[in-house]
């Protein structure tokens, strides 16, 4: 058995799993282990943040950490190896490439790498003894084909740039052959690529990600003519937009000399600006809101309601022994009123299937509660909320909020929602026009409860008043249905005894 074969079986890689429903990437927030640490099956090795939640990842085998492939703060695609573990550390030390070191040869003086490579390259000797050592991984498989030695390598800088691009995950097609250097030109020594824009050699293909290439194609921009500013000479979106603006800019006309300093304020403002990367929950929220706002035709209706009797019921429930130890607040009764309205108007609890051109009515209610957390806005939901009693609903709401604030909400808890409540009243806001959560048909905004003058039994009295706003998808919810749902919610909050008569 060769050293490389033994190494392949000895070292195991743990790949970034799909911890949500179809998520494609996750950011490594924190490593709980370091190189050399012993790990066991089921031990949490890192915490990652997906577009939905922060999740701790357990490793599925025992061993000693051999390599951490990515640093904290790096976003990694699902399916990419993030950690390598030595499952048989007792077999002895290994090389940087993971090959087992032969104890008999360990005591022999090591031949300098440069001389060893020079000695092996001309005749191709020893290529069948194992894979060639490289910076990352196990290198290319050995080949039985012998090749004639090359006399000159004028394309060394091209190869260096290509290797650096491959190591950074941006492999580019092989460059066209470069013409031999002129006799008078001095010899150029190949050097490792450095961070920044590498020099373009021959007809090498510019480095750019597929979305950037598509953007350049749509704008009619030749990437070869764009000056890259990204790491490792990668052309970014900003580079393409800058090239496009330069190409469509009107001819520069002579201007008075006094107009030149006009650029100074722009740079001064830029120095006082902070750019925050859009990722994780914020990125997912932005994409979801844009998709919803520009896909589902939103309609928002409002109603102002006297909730004085509801506030009195809240106080009575707090004193009820059956609700002892449970959190009782107006949001609990608003949620219950919403569930009653859905029972009376089940068509509101549905979703639009664009692909099949169908309306999917759901006989279960997964009630979403919008929660503001340090990581951004998330919408976990209470599964089968329609079947819960008031104490059960109170307990579920409390658990949902506390879990969200601790940042431990799982992707499963944020999936499958049918309707949502957003409590903007906790910020002292009267109402709003909420955007529907994707895949749902309606969202209810619950405003602040305030003492206001109100006509009650023919007299103006101070009453507890709030404003409710219901946004719904007009593709499957018409004005009549939306109005009836909102009116039913208001009726229950005005006269909470309807929780009994309608429930």
């Amino acid at each position: 058995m060769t050293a490389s074969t033994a190494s392949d079986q000895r070292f195991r890689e743990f790949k970034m799993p799909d911890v949500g429903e179809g998520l494609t990437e996750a950011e490594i927030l924190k490593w709980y282990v370091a190189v050399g640490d012993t790990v066991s099956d089921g031990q949490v090795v890192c915490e990652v943040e997906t577009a939905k939640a922060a999740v701790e990842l357990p490793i599925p085998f025992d061993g000693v950490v051999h390599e951490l492939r990515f640093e904290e703060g790096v976003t990694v695609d699902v399916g990419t190896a993030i950690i390598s573990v030595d499952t048989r550390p007792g077999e002895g030390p290994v090389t940087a490439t993971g090959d087992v070191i032969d104890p008999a040869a360990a005591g022999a003086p090591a031949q300098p790498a440069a001389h060893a490579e020079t000695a092996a390259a001309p005749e191709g000797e020893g290529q069948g003894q194992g894979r060639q050592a490289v910076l990352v991984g196990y290198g290319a498989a050995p080949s039985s084909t012998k090749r004639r030695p090359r006399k000159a390598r004028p394309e060394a800088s091209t190869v260096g740039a290509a290797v650096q691009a491959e190591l950074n995950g941006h492999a580019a097609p092989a460059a066209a052959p470069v013409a031999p250097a002129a006799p008078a030109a001095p010899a150029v020594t190949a050097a490792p690529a450095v961070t920044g824009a590498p020099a373009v050699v021959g007809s090498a293909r510019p480095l750019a990600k597929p979305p950037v290439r598509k953007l350049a194609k749509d704008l009619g921009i030749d990437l070869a003519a764009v000056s890259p500013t990204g790491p490792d000479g990668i052309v970014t979106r900003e580079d393409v937009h800058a090239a496009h603006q330069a190409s469509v800019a009107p001819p520069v006309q002579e201007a008075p000399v006094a107009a030149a300093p006009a650029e100074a304020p722009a740079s001064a403002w830029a120095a006082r600006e902070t750019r925050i990367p859009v990722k994780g929950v914020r990125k997912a929220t932005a994409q979801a809101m844009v998709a919803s706002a520009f896909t589902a035709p939103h309609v928002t209706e409002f109603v102002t309601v006297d909730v004085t009797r509801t506030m009195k019921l809240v106080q009575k429930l707090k004193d009820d022994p059956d609700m002892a130890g449970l959190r009782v607040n107006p949001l609990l009764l608003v949620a219950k009123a919403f569930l009653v309205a859905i029972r009376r108007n089940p068509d509101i609890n549905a979703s639009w299937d664009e692909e099949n051109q169908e309306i999917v009515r759901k006989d279960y209610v997964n009630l979403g509660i919008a929660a503001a957390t340090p990581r951004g806005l998330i919408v976990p939901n209470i599964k089968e909320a329609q079947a819960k009693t008031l104490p059960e609903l109170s307990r579920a709401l409390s658990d949902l909020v506390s879990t969200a604030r601790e940042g431990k909400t799982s992707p499963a808890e944020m999936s499958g929602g049918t309707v949502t409540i957003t409590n903007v009243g906790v910020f002292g806001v009267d109402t709003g026009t909420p955007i529907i959560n994707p895949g749902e048909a309606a969202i209810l905004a619950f405003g602040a409860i305030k003492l206001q003058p109100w006509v009650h039994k023919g007299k103006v009295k101070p009453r507890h008043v709030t404003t409710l706003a219901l946004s719904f998808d007009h593709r499957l919810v018409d004005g009549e249905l939306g109005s009836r749902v909102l009116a039913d919610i208001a009726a229950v909050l005005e006269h909470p005894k309807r929780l009994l008569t309608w429930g």
Side-chain angles (χ1 to χ4, degrees):
M1 180 181 295
T2 65
S4 61
T5 302
S7 174
D8 292 342
Q9 296 177 352
R10 173 175 172 179
F11 292 89
R12 297 186 64 180
E13 295 177 337
F14 178 53
K15 298 180 180 181
M16 178 70 73
D18 179 4
V19 296
E21 297 182 350
L23 298 178
T24 59
E25 62 183 18
E27 177 188 353
I28 298 177
L29 294 181
K30 184 177 181 180
W31 283 108
Y32 294 123
V33 296
V35 174
D37 289 352
T38 300
V39 295
S40 57
D41 186 0
Q43 177 180 340
V44 174
V45 294
C46 68
E47 181 182 17
V48 300
E49 181 183 39
T50 68
K52 294 185 176 182
V55 182
E56 293 181 335
L57 298 182
I59 200 161
F61 39 78
D62 303 334
V64 174
V65 178
H66 176 63
E67 182 183 8
L68 302 180
R69 298 291 175 85
F70 298 94
E71 297 180 354
E72 295 177 355
V74 177
T75 299
V76 182
D77 291 338
V78 169
T80 303
I82 60 175
I83 183 174
S84 173
V85 174
D86 184 356
T87 60
R88 299 195 300 273
E91 295 185 0
V94 294
T95 65
T97 61
D99 293 331
V100 180
I101 298 176
D102 186 358
Q111 184 180 8
H115 295 288
E117 182 180 356
T118 304
E123 299 299 328
E125 297 177 356
Q127 294 182 4
Q129 301 301 322
R131 298 186 179 183
Q132 180 181 3
V134 294
L135 292 178
V136 179
Y138 304 113
S143 173
S144 60
T145 304
K146 293 186 178 181
R147 301 175 182 266
R148 296 176 58 190
R150 297 183 180 181
K151 296 182 180 180
R153 299 181 66 184
E155 71 283 10
S157 59
T158 303
V159 175
V163 171
Q164 182 65 25
E166 180 66 26
L167 292 177
N168 287 278
H170 308 288
V178 181
V188 180
T189 302
V194 296
T195 303
V200 178
V201 180
S203 58
R205 187 184 183 190
L207 299 180
K209 296 182 179 180
V212 178
R213 294 187 183 278
K214 183 178 184 303
L215 175 64
K217 181 179 179 181
D218 294 341
L219 297 179
I221 300 299
D222 182 7
L223 286 177
V226 178
S227 299
T229 61
D232 305 318
I234 298 175
V235 178
T236 65
R237 284 180 173 272
E238 291 73 15
D239 298 336
V240 175
H241 284 301
H244 177 64
Q245 292 177 359
S247 65
V248 300
V252 179
Q253 299 179 355
E254 295 184 0
V257 178
E263 297 181 358
S267 59
W269 290 121
R272 297 168 60 188
E273 297 173 348
T274 302
R275 292 183 175 269
I276 303 173
V278 179
K279 55 186 179 180
V281 174
R282 174 57 58 191
K283 180 179 179 180
T285 301
Q287 293 173 343
M289 293 300 97
V290 170
S292 177
F294 293 97
T295 301
H298 282 54
V299 173
T300 305
E301 294 185 341
F302 307 89
V303 63
T304 303
V305 57
D306 178 3
V307 293
T308 303
R309 293 184 179 89
T310 291
M311 297 302 292
K312 291 180 180 178
L313 178 58
V314 168
Q315 189 58 49
K316 290 180 180 179
L317 289 173
K318 289 181 178 180
D319 299 332
D320 192 320
D322 292 336
M323 300 295 289
L326 298 178
R327 190 172 185 177
V328 180
N329 54 25
L331 178 60
L332 174 62
L333 295 185
V334 170
K336 197 64 176 177
F338 198 2
L339 293 172
V340 170
I342 293 172
R343 185 182 300 115
R344 289 167 55 85
N345 305 276
D347 288 341
I348 194 74
N349 190 49
S351 62
W352 181 271
D353 187 343
E354 180 66 28
E355 182 178 356
N356 296 314
Q357 288 295 294
E358 295 176 340
I359 295 175
V360 183
R361 197 179 77 178
K362 301 169 183 179
D363 297 329
Y364 57 91
V365 181
N366 292 342
L367 180 61
I369 304 294
T373 71
R375 298 174 53 248
L377 176 68
I378 63 175
V379 188
N381 59 77
I382 301 172
K383 301 295 191 289
E384 299 285 355
Q386 84 287 348
K388 295 186 181 298
T389 63
L390 195 63
E392 291 172 342
L393 188 61
S394 173
R395 192 174 294 108
L397 275 171
S398 299
D399 293 343
L400 179 148
V401 172
S402 61
T403 302
R405 288 177 178 173
E406 294 172 2
K408 297 182 179 180
T409 304
S410 68
E413 293 174 309
M414 292 186 286
S415 303
T418 60
V419 293
T420 297
I421 297 176
T422 175
N423 186 8
V424 298
V426 296
F427 306 107
V429 175
D430 292 334
T431 189
T433 55
I435 297 178
I436 304 167
N437 208 28
E440 301 178 8
I443 179 171
L444 176 69
F446 173 33
I449 298 176
K450 299 179 180 179
L451 274 176
Q452 294 184 14
W454 192 264
V455 177
H456 177 65
K457 296 181 179 180
K459 296 181 180 180
V460 177
K461 296 181 179 181
R463 303 286 288 181
H464 286 96
V465 176
T466 189
T467 300
L468 305 173
L470 182 71
S471 292
F472 50 86
D473 186 344
H474 215 348
R475 292 176 299 179
L476 64 157
V477 180
D478 56 26
E480 179 187 3
L481 176 58
S483 299
R484 283 194 280 108
V485 170
L486 186 58
D488 282 354
I489 298 171
V492 171
L493 295 178
E494 185 173 8
H495 298 282
K497 65 181 181 181
R498 289 193 171 103
L499 289 172
L500 300 175
T501 59
W502 288 359

